[in-house]
Amino acid sequence: METIIVQLSDPVRPPESGTRAETGTRTGGGAGKPALLHLGPGDVVDFGRGPAVGGGVSITLADPGISRRAGQLEAAGDYWRLSNFSRSVSYVVENLEGAGEYITVAPGRLGAPVPFEFSRVVLPALTGTAAFKVFAPQHAYLGERSAHGIGEQTIHPFALDPTSKYFLVLVALCEPLLRDPSDSALPGVGEIVGRLRPLESCRDLTRSAVNYHIDYLAFAKLRLDLGEETGGPADGGRTGAKRARLASVALRFGLVREEHLALLPRRGTPRPGDEGARADGS
């Protein structure tokens, strides 16, 4: 079972066989899409510039200011650990769902636990910074009832974080059907952007970000089998089918309920800046 997904920003050459960095499964990377590295509990991969001869790293950061073997990432259950092999440079792990929240991994630190679900690992480089993203979609949450000492804990098949931005996108997508089950029209990406932007946490929300959250929900969180329904972003029909399938599963299994509508801004709430525009008479 995969628990960690690494998004590789650049095309990566496969490591030489027999290296420790070979652990994990790489997918995607075609048609301009970033490659993904899927890791299960205990899998370990190295990152860095890569050695001049022999061996290799799974996550290549092609900058002369980055060590050939800069560090290591280990999948551990529903979180991951980061090791910094540098003797002089700290690495930063940003929380992509937070308001500027981050942790610093000091030089030589081994196995630093990272609790974020959406992360960006940033390394100083000669060209500015080099980075890659890490997702931990299998976070475990305490249920309404818990039993101790009766075997292994049950992992929820749909572990959604109701405080996350992707959950807001899901609620906005399901809102019309929650308010009126006979309404079969789902909001488009632009409508979801407009619906969420009055929220402080969504002021900078873009169409591409909403599309990303929809893909993350469909493939990482709910693990939908869309078959031939998946397609390029320009294919509006297939994108609409993906949104319809996502809303159907979310409502069918009670992942989004009526009380979640309270997370959305009130109807008629102006977007940031609208008040000033009305004051100017525009």
Side-chain angles (χ1 to χ4, degrees):
M1 179 183 67
E2 68 184 40
T3 58
I4 304 298
I5 302 171
V6 182
Q7 178 178 308
L8 309 173
S9 56
D10 299 314
V12 179
R13 72 174 187 275
E16 298 290 339
S17 61
T19 65
R20 193 177 184 189
E22 186 70 25
T23 308
T25 303
R26 183 177 285 106
T27 61
K33 296 182 179 180
L36 301 177
L37 187 62
H38 301 263
L39 306 177
D43 286 348
V44 176
V45 292
D46 293 338
F47 60 88
R49 194 167 87 251
V53 292
V57 294
S58 289
I59 305 171
T60 302
L61 303 171
D63 186 281
I66 295 177
S67 301
R68 296 188 183 280
R69 188 164 174 257
Q72 195 173 80
L73 185 154
E74 177 187 359
D78 61 352
Y79 70 102
W80 54 283
R81 300 188 183 101
L82 181 69
S83 295
N84 181 354
F85 294 159
S86 172
R87 297 185 180 276
S88 59
V89 177
S90 295
Y91 302 157
V92 174
V93 183
E94 302 171 340
N95 181 9
L96 297 181
E97 280 288 295
E101 184 181 9
Y102 67 92
I103 61 174
T104 300
V105 181
R109 176 72 160 89
L110 300 179
V114 179
F116 307 142
E117 185 169 349
F118 287 80
S119 306
R120 180 190 289 116
V121 180
V122 183
L123 286 70
L126 289 183
T127 56
T129 57
F132 58 91
K133 296 177 182 178
V134 182
F135 310 127
Q138 297 297 333
H139 279 192
Y141 297 94
L142 181 66
E144 295 180 0
R145 298 181 180 180
S146 60
H148 301 283
I150 314 180
E152 296 182 359
Q153 180 182 1
T154 300
I155 300 175
H156 197 292
F158 303 132
L160 302 180
D161 181 2
T163 66
S164 65
K165 198 169 294 183
Y166 68 73
F167 191 78
L168 288 174
V169 170
L170 184 59
V171 175
L173 176 64
C174 297
E175 182 183 19
L177 288 171
L178 279 172
R179 296 191 183 279
D180 183 1
S182 64
D183 187 354
S184 60
L186 289 175
V189 172
E191 293 174 289
I192 293 175
V193 171
R195 185 72 178 100
L196 296 178
R197 272 200 177 162
L199 296 174
E200 181 70 26
S201 62
C202 296
R203 289 190 173 186
D204 298 326
L205 191 65
T206 63
R207 293 176 61 94
S208 61
V210 169
N211 277 321
Y212 168 80
H213 286 304
I214 289 174
D215 283 344
Y216 181 71
L217 283 161
F219 301 119
K221 301 301 288 187
L222 273 60
R223 301 180 300 282
L224 301 182
D225 183 9
L226 299 175
E228 296 183 356
E229 292 177 4
T230 58
D235 193 331
R238 293 180 179 178
T239 301
K242 185 193 305 178
R243 287 187 286 111
R245 175 72 173 144
L246 193 59
S248 174
V249 171
L251 293 174
R252 181 180 181 184
F253 289 98
L255 306 179
V256 176
R257 301 180 296 277
E258 190 172 350
E259 60 261 31
H260 291 134
L261 294 176
L263 298 173
L264 301 178
R266 290 185 177 181
R267 288 288 187 179
T269 302
R271 297 186 186 185
D274 286 355
E275 299 88 342
R278 285 196 298 270
D280 294 336
S282 56

